[in-house]
Amino acid sequence: MPNSQGSPPENISVLGCVALVTGGSRGIGRATAIALARHGADVAINDIADRVAADQTAEAVRNLGRRAVVVMGDVSREADVAKIVDTAVEALGPINIIVNNAGIASGCRLHEMSLDEWQRTIDVDLT
């Protein structure tokens, strides 16, 4: 659990680790990728659509002296997940940390969701 300054506990180190952060182009994913880099991890940043924002996150990681790679793909599709992992490993080495941050929300109330919207949410957020 992080301390009040957002740092990992002193007995845990990510120095030299490789992290994969899904949904890493903005918000909590971007902040997590940058925090991991600040503490010594190289980071693979995944996003489904926003390449510009993902590249900006990667640049922020590199500005902290760590390696970064952007891997676009849909985490709800098995073939994309395999590509994401393979590309990250090829670029940065074996993955030690996975942050499953990608998620979606339909913007409607649960009882108004179609079955397709529900399934897409489950596929991205859980599967």
Side-chain angles (χ1 to χ4, degrees), residues 55-74:
D55 285 338
Q56 290 169 344
T57 301
E59 187 61 26
V61 167
R62 290 184 194 107
N63 287 340
L64 292 167
R66 303 310 306 176
R67 296 179 302 151
V69 63
V70 171
V71 188
M72 303 302 289
D74 183 342

Side-chain angles (χ1 to χ4, degrees), residues 52-105:
V52 171
D55 285 338
Q56 290 169 344
T57 301
E59 187 61 26
V61 167
R62 290 184 194 107
N63 287 340
L64 292 167
R66 303 310 306 176
R67 296 179 302 151
V69 63
V70 171
V71 188
M72 303 302 289
D74 183 342
V75 298
S76 73
R77 296 184 178 172
E78 188 175 350
D80 281 16
V81 171
K83 180 194 78 159
I84 291 164
V85 170
D86 289 348
T87 302
V89 169
E90 184 179 315
L92 302 175
I95 297 169
N96 310 101
I97 301 165
I98 298 176
V99 179
N100 290 317
N101 174 70
I104 61 171

Side-chain angles (χ1 to χ4, degrees), residues 15-68:
L15 183 62
C17 289
V18 172
L20 168 60
V21 181
T22 66
S25 68
R26 61 190 176 281
I28 292 169
R30 176 182 167 82
T32 301
I34 292 169
L36 286 163
R38 187 173 291 120
H39 292 286
D42 296 323
V43 185
I45 296 116
N46 161 255
D47 197 81
I48 191 171
D50 196 342
R51 179 65 192 228
V52 171
D55 285 338
Q56 290 169 344
T57 301
E59 187 61 26
V61 167
R62 290 184 194 107
N63 287 340
L64 292 167
R66 303 310 306 176
R67 296 179 302 151

Side-chain angles (χ1 to χ4, degrees), residues 23 26 47-48 74-76 100-108 113 116-126:
R26 61 190 176 281
D47 197 81
I48 191 171
D74 183 342
V75 298
S76 73
N100 290 317
N101 174 70
I104 61 171
S106 73
C108 65
M113 288 179 87
D116 287 341
E117 289 172 311
W118 172 256
Q119 190 60 56
R120 177 77 178 138
T121 301
I122 293 301
D123 288 347
V124 171
D125 293 0
L126 299 176

